[in-house]
Amino acid sequence: QVQLVESGGALVQPGGSLRLSCAASGLTFSRYAMSWYRQAPGKERELVAAITSAGGSTNYADSVKGRFTISRDNAKNTVYLQMNNLKPGDTAVYYCNALSEMYYGLDYWGKGTLVTVSS
């Protein structure tokens, strides 16, 4: 059974930092591209950052470039999202996604972790 478990969400003041983690189990982690998405209240889910299976390539939403960094540790089956200089607009539930690089359309989602940026 595949599980993606996010952690690290919290209430933080504007300008602060958080690191989210997503621990994966039940899949061959090194064969999945990993992504972070977020969904703010009343808005659609949007892609925040993505990283290829070996970690050689990343991409980011324009709104987080220069502030967020995605990384992964394939030995620990974990993907991270380092978030710096947080803004109120970053408030959302953050979800982890695993996308198979072998089987088209096969992906898995975590249940999310809440990040609230407020003074």
Side-chain angles (χ1 to χ4, degrees), residues 84-104:
N84 297 328
N85 190 21
L86 283 160
K87 304 176 180 181
D90 296 318
T91 295
V93 177
Y94 284 71
Y95 297 91
C96 177
N97 175 269
L99 177 65
S100 174
E101 292 189 343
M102 293 184 63
Y103 301 105
Y104 179 77

Side-chain angles (χ1 to χ4, degrees), residues 42-99:
K43 295 188 177 181
E44 293 187 354
R45 191 173 297 190
E46 63 173 352
L47 176 66
V48 175
I51 187 167
T52 53
S53 58
S57 180
T58 58
N59 67 76
Y60 298 90
D62 287 344
S63 60
V64 307
K65 281 181 181 176
R67 300 189 297 123
F68 290 11
T69 302
I70 188 171
S71 62
R72 65 190 295 159
D73 185 338
N74 284 356
K76 295 183 178 180
N77 287 3
T78 302
V79 62
Y80 305 97
L81 185 68
Q82 178 66 44
M83 305 187 294
N84 297 328
N85 190 21
L86 283 160
K87 304 176 180 181
D90 296 318
T91 295
V93 177
Y94 284 71
Y95 297 91
C96 177
N97 175 269
L99 177 65

Side-chain angles (χ1 to χ4, degrees), residues 12-24:
V12 62
Q13 292 188 341
S17 297
L18 282 176
R19 187 175 84 154
L20 305 183
S21 300
C22 171

